[in-house]
Amino acid sequence: MHVSWKKWRRYFRHPAHLKKGRWGERTAERFLKKKGFCLIERNVRLGRFAEIDLIMKEADTLVFIEVKTRKNEQFGRPFHAISNAQQRRISYAATHYIKRKHLKPDYIRIDVLEVVGDRSFRKKPLIRHIPDAWKLPSGMRLWW
Protein backbone atom coordinates (compact mmCIF):
# COMPACT_ATOMS: atom_id res chain seq x y z
CA MET A 1 0.00 0.00 0.00
CA HIS A 2 1.39 3.37 -1.01
CA VAL A 3 0.72 6.38 1.21
CA SER A 4 1.16 9.82 -0.30
CA TRP A 5 3.49 12.31 1.35
CA LYS A 6 0.62 14.67 2.19
CA LYS A 7 -1.11 11.98 4.21
CA TRP A 8 2.15 10.86 5.82
CA ARG A 9 3.10 14.44 6.75
CA ARG A 10 -0.04 14.68 8.86
CA TYR A 11 1.32 11.94 11.13
CA PHE A 12 4.91 13.14 11.19
CA ARG A 13 5.57 15.68 13.92
CA HIS A 14 8.82 17.55 14.48
CA PRO A 15 10.16 17.42 18.03
CA ALA A 16 9.32 20.46 20.16
CA HIS A 17 12.96 21.52 20.56
CA LEU A 18 13.41 21.71 16.77
CA LYS A 19 10.27 23.81 16.41
CA LYS A 20 11.51 26.13 19.16
CA GLY A 21 14.90 26.41 17.47
CA ARG A 22 13.35 27.27 14.10
CA TRP A 23 11.13 29.88 15.76
CA GLY A 24 14.19 31.39 17.46
CA GLU A 25 16.11 31.55 14.18
CA ARG A 26 13.22 33.28 12.39
CA THR A 27 12.87 35.74 15.28
CA ALA A 28 16.62 36.43 15.21
CA GLU A 29 16.57 36.93 11.45
CA ARG A 30 13.75 39.49 11.66
CA PHE A 31 15.55 41.29 14.50
CA LEU A 32 18.80 41.56 12.52
CA LYS A 33 17.06 42.65 9.32
CA LYS A 34 15.52 45.54 11.28
CA LYS A 35 19.05 46.47 12.37
CA GLY A 36 20.17 46.66 8.73
CA PHE A 37 21.70 43.23 8.20
CA CYS A 38 21.22 41.50 4.85
CA LEU A 39 20.56 37.74 4.79
CA ILE A 40 22.88 35.65 2.64
CA GLU A 41 22.04 32.10 3.75
CA ARG A 42 20.43 30.24 6.62
CA ASN A 43 21.07 26.80 8.13
CA VAL A 44 24.24 26.11 6.17
CA ARG A 45 25.70 22.65 6.76
CA LEU A 46 29.41 22.27 6.24
CA GLY A 47 30.83 18.89 7.02
CA ARG A 48 29.27 16.29 9.20
CA PHE A 49 28.87 18.21 12.44
CA ALA A 50 29.30 21.85 11.46
CA GLU A 51 26.30 24.10 10.87
CA ILE A 52 25.87 27.85 10.75
CA ASP A 53 22.42 29.17 11.65
CA LEU A 54 22.55 32.48 9.77
CA ILE A 55 25.06 34.10 7.43
CA MET A 56 24.42 37.79 7.02
CA LYS A 57 26.19 40.88 5.78
CA GLU A 58 26.47 44.15 7.69
CA ALA A 59 28.10 46.89 5.59
CA ASP A 60 31.46 45.34 4.55
CA THR A 61 31.46 42.63 7.25
CA LEU A 62 30.49 39.00 6.68
CA VAL A 63 28.75 37.85 9.87
CA PHE A 64 28.28 34.23 10.93
CA ILE A 65 25.54 33.99 13.53
CA GLU A 66 24.79 31.27 16.05
CA VAL A 67 21.27 31.51 17.46
CA LYS A 68 20.58 30.10 20.93
CA THR A 69 16.92 29.85 21.92
CA ARG A 70 15.71 29.12 25.43
CA LYS A 71 12.28 29.25 27.01
CA ASN A 72 13.69 30.94 30.12
CA GLU A 73 17.01 31.59 31.83
CA GLN A 74 16.47 29.18 34.68
CA PHE A 75 19.70 27.35 33.84
CA GLY A 76 21.72 30.41 32.82
CA ARG A 77 22.10 32.51 29.73
CA PRO A 78 21.86 30.75 26.37
CA PHE A 79 25.34 32.00 25.37
CA HIS A 80 26.91 29.88 28.12
CA ALA A 81 25.55 26.73 26.47
CA ILE A 82 28.08 27.14 23.63
CA SER A 83 31.00 24.88 24.47
CA ASN A 84 34.58 25.36 23.31
CA ALA A 85 34.13 22.40 20.95
CA GLN A 86 31.05 24.01 19.42
CA GLN A 87 32.94 27.29 19.02
CA ARG A 88 35.67 25.42 17.13
CA ARG A 89 33.08 23.70 14.90
CA ILE A 90 31.38 27.00 14.08
CA SER A 91 34.75 28.66 13.40
CA TYR A 92 35.74 25.76 11.14
CA ALA A 93 32.42 26.01 9.30
CA ALA A 94 32.89 29.77 8.81
CA THR A 95 36.38 29.40 7.30
CA HIS A 96 35.26 26.43 5.21
CA TYR A 97 32.31 28.43 3.87
CA ILE A 98 34.59 31.31 2.86
CA LYS A 99 37.01 28.95 1.13
CA ARG A 100 34.25 27.01 -0.64
CA LYS A 101 32.56 30.16 -1.95
CA HIS A 102 35.91 31.83 -2.84
CA LEU A 103 34.96 34.95 -0.90
CA LYS A 104 37.33 37.70 0.19
CA PRO A 105 35.33 39.72 2.73
CA ASP A 106 36.93 42.81 4.23
CA TYR A 107 35.94 41.72 7.73
CA ILE A 108 34.67 38.52 9.31
CA ARG A 109 32.76 38.28 12.56
CA ILE A 110 31.06 35.56 14.58
CA ASP A 111 28.03 36.74 16.54
CA VAL A 112 25.66 35.06 18.93
CA LEU A 113 21.99 35.93 19.25
CA GLU A 114 20.17 34.87 22.41
CA VAL A 115 16.42 34.50 22.08
CA VAL A 116 14.65 33.97 25.41
CA GLY A 117 10.94 33.26 25.21
CA ASP A 118 8.45 31.01 23.54
CA ARG A 119 6.17 31.46 20.58
CA SER A 120 3.19 30.55 22.74
CA PHE A 121 3.89 33.49 25.08
CA ARG A 122 1.92 36.64 24.43
CA LYS A 123 4.82 38.97 25.14
CA LYS A 124 7.81 39.66 22.92
CA PRO A 125 10.87 37.50 23.41
CA LEU A 126 14.01 38.93 24.98
CA ILE A 127 16.70 39.18 22.29
CA ARG A 128 20.36 39.85 23.04
CA HIS A 129 22.88 40.41 20.25
CA ILE A 130 26.48 39.58 21.19
CA PRO A 131 28.69 40.84 18.35
CA ASP A 132 32.16 39.36 17.95
CA ALA A 133 31.39 36.61 20.49
CA TRP A 134 34.77 34.93 19.93
CA LYS A 135 37.74 35.15 17.61
CA LEU A 136 38.78 32.54 15.09
CA PRO A 137 41.33 30.14 16.60
CA SER A 138 44.91 31.02 15.67
CA GLY A 139 45.40 27.75 13.75
CA MET A 140 42.66 28.55 11.25
CA ARG A 141 43.96 30.42 8.23
CA LEU A 142 42.02 31.89 5.38
CA TRP A 143 43.03 31.24 1.79
CA TRP A 144 44.08 34.73 0.77
Side-chain angles (χ1 to χ4, degrees), residues 68 70 75-84 86-87 114:
K68 283 297 185 186
R70 297 288 183 268
F75 298 107
R77 288 186 55 178
F79 175 74
H80 297 292
I82 303 174
S83 66
N84 289 336
Q86 190 175 7
Q87 288 181 11
E114 297 178 330

Side-chain angles (χ1 to χ4, degrees), residues 88-104:
R88 281 192 303 275
R89 282 195 300 270
I90 293 168
S91 300
Y92 162 79
T95 56
H96 191 69
Y97 178 84
I98 291 169
K99 290 176 185 177
R100 190 179 75 183
K101 297 284 186 173
H102 300 288
L103 300 174
K104 288 186 181 181

